[in-house]
Amino acid sequence: MSFPHLIGYGILIFTVWKLVRRRASRKANALDVAGPKNEHWLKGNLESVLVDSFDRCLKMAADYGGVIKIHALFGAEWLIVSDPRALHHILVKEQHIFEENDNFIFSNKLVFGDGLISTRGEQHRKQRKMLNPVFSISNMRELLPIIQTISHQLKSIFVSDLPIHLPVELDVLPWLSRSSLDCICEGVLGYHSAALDAGNESEYTEALRMLGPAIIRRNFSLYWCKKIADWLTISWLPTQTMKDIRELRRIVEIMDSASRNIFEEKKAALAMHDTSGRTKGKDIMSIMLKANASSAEGDRLSDAELLGQMNVMIFAGLETTTAAVARTLYMLAMHPHVQQQLRADICDAMTAHQAVDVNRSHAEDDFESVRLPYDSLMNLPFLDAVVRETLRLYPSLPILGRISTSATSIPVQFPVRTASGEEINTISVAKHQAIIMSIVAANHNQAVWGEDASEWKPERWLNSTQAGVKDGVRYQVMTFLAGNRSCIGLKFAEMEIKDVLVTLLPDIHFALPSEPDETGHVKEIHWKMSGFHIPVVKAPAGDG
């Protein structure tokens, strides 16, 4: 037998041995939890369970409870978790045991650098310690005028396309995305992106807008995408996958180069004590650089870590906030009586503010230039209820992953069933157990939110002592997670969402399409669950 044959047989035997060992290990650590049946010996049921599966996620939780076993690739068994005590255990109590998997960390590091979503352990704790005070309420108050200027520009664009007293169909999503990008760039970076100025878009802002869709198109590991792109950079390779990978790589390179230039300019301005820019040093990046410079040596972040925060905050804030504003307007369009009530509340608040605003001209008798102060904006009860209810029912990130770093057990608030039907209150998991946290199922849990949990009812929040309370226990909306991996930009996102609504609703009534288009079809919007919640127009009026 020749040497190449020996090598080939050796590789084959080793591969078979590894597969047998893996299978034996899985049998020894099999999950005794109920769940939908396996659909394919190779692919399992992962695709049907998780791809564009909003309704399926809710039905599975109703059928099987807060912890469910599903079948992944090559016979692997995963858990889908939505039980409130289990999520608290994973995210807060035993967060050191349940971490993001290596591919998630490596992929984020390749795209964003050493930001919050690319680090773990002590490095993440150090970054979080630095960034928490940066997103304080006092800093949000300083940032609000920047957001308000952008919201008013967005309104001007919409109003300019509206004939007086006549309805017109307008695709608002691209403009909401541009508005959100301007808010992030100016509020976080202190960079004037001018995304709302159509035809004036830079290569950098275009790359930022395309980053989210590029990542969603390639829903497998970005780490291996990068490896493949390094190995196979031949431009004529015909597959769409390779084209998407090369496009993602191009976007990341543009983003990285421009971010570095902005970062160096911010550092230079800080060194010169220059606050003459548009944001006058009140943007998040300027505040973060000042805080870092004044910190003790051991607490300071490196330039690479600071740069990573820039990229992470842009990505995390852009797609999620755009989806949240779009979904809120969609729900208001579906419930015109709620929209009218919210409009009336906003107008009342603006009228009250006009009465006490000594800087306002008496000649101004409309709301064109009215800008509510931070405390008034954030404490409008019905506005807060509408935003909270929308974020509860439709989290921008409906599912997130974790992996166990050691064998442990997960307690549940509400009993779940084993494969044989026995009720249990604790689930044993082995080391390296993959877990999918179903944020959407947690937020729709009828045991917590009542039988009307899946109904959009903002009024449930007007009695805040009862919302999310069961048997005297208050449960948390999981949209922004919990623990040290919770969304650090929560206050910024809420402020932006509320300001856009307050600015648009007094002058614009939103409704869903009701008239047939030129092909005779009425456009119907479907919210596709693909990484983010994305609105698309269903066929035949749209491409879905």
Side-chain angles (χ1 to χ4, degrees), residues 70-85:
I70 63 171
H71 302 272
L73 297 175
F74 305 112
E77 294 178 342
W78 291 7
L79 288 176
I80 296 183
V81 177
S82 60
D83 180 88
R85 179 176 293 173

Side-chain angles (χ1 to χ4, degrees), residues 256-541:
D256 181 66
S257 175
S259 295
R260 288 179 185 277
N261 290 336
I262 295 169
F263 177 68
E264 292 301 327
E265 290 174 3
K266 301 298 290 185
K267 282 181 62 181
L270 178 64
M272 299 291 293
H273 304 286
D274 181 5
T275 58
S276 60
R278 288 173 60 92
T279 62
K280 303 187 184 304
K282 296 177 181 178
D283 57 90
I284 294 296
M285 196 66 207
S286 294
I287 296 169
M288 185 166 60
L289 286 172
K290 292 173 187 174
N292 194 58
S294 61
S295 296
E297 185 78 26
D299 291 333
R300 288 180 193 165
L301 305 185
S302 66
D303 283 1
E305 289 177 295
L306 292 169
L307 185 62
Q309 311 313 326
M310 288 176 57
N311 295 331
V312 165
M313 285 187 276
I314 292 170
F315 174 71
L318 176 56
E319 300 295 339
T320 55
T321 306
T322 299
V325 175
R327 176 69 86 159
T328 306
L329 292 176
Y330 174 81
M331 298 309 296
L332 291 171
M334 286 189 66
H335 300 84
H337 64 289
V338 177
Q339 183 180 166
Q340 183 55 41
Q341 181 181 346
L342 179 57
R343 179 178 293 109
D345 281 9
I346 292 170
C347 290
D348 287 346
M350 288 184 167
T351 300
H353 178 63
Q354 281 178 302
V356 298
D357 186 1
V358 297
N359 296 317
R360 181 174 171 81
S361 168
H362 293 291
E364 299 173 8
D365 56 359
D366 56 31
F367 299 138
E368 179 61 33
S369 60
V370 177
R371 302 187 179 191
L372 294 178
Y374 179 85
D375 291 322
S376 298
L377 173 70
M378 301 305 291
N379 292 305
L380 286 175
F382 197 58
L383 173 64
D384 188 64
V386 166
V387 172
R388 280 181 179 232
E389 184 71 345
T390 305
L391 292 174
R392 179 186 73 84
L393 278 183
Y394 308 108
S396 297
L397 291 171
I399 57 174
L400 288 166
R402 289 292 186 272
I403 192 165
S404 60
T405 59
S406 63
T408 186
S409 59
I410 303 174
V412 293
Q413 182 76 29
F414 307 105
V416 296
R417 299 196 309 274
T418 65
S420 63
E422 177 189 356
E423 285 195 346
I424 55 175
N425 294 297
T426 304
I427 296 92
S428 297
V429 297
K431 185 178 182 179
H432 302 316
Q433 175 62 57
I435 294 170
I436 301 295
M437 298 180 295
S438 180
I439 309 303
V440 65
N443 288 352
H444 286 247
N445 192 334
Q446 290 189 9
V448 172
W449 299 97
E451 293 182 359
D452 60 355
S454 292
E455 296 179 34
W456 189 73
K457 297 177 69 174
E459 59 271 19
R460 78 172 76 239
W461 293 98
L462 296 179
N463 185 356
S464 59
T465 60
Q466 296 301 316
V469 176
K470 180 73 173 179
D471 297 329
V473 178
R474 178 175 295 279
Y475 295 96
Q476 182 175 344
V477 174
M478 295 306 301
T479 300
F480 294 97
L481 291 187
N484 70 354
R485 310 293 297 201
S486 61
C487 175
I488 200 167
L490 165 62
K491 294 185 184 72
F492 186 94
E494 285 187 330
M495 177 177 70
E496 180 185 340
I497 294 167
K498 289 182 176 181
D499 187 66
V500 170
L501 296 174
V502 162
T503 305
L504 296 181
L505 287 174
D507 295 307
I508 304 173
H509 175 82
F510 292 89
L512 298 179
S514 58
E515 298 295 327
D517 60 15
E518 59 274 9
T519 65
H521 300 105
V522 176
K523 293 179 179 175
E524 184 179 353
I525 297 171
H526 167 64
W527 288 83
K528 192 172 184 178
M529 195 170 110
S530 179
F532 303 104
H533 271 140
I534 303 170
V536 296
V537 178
K538 293 175 67 172

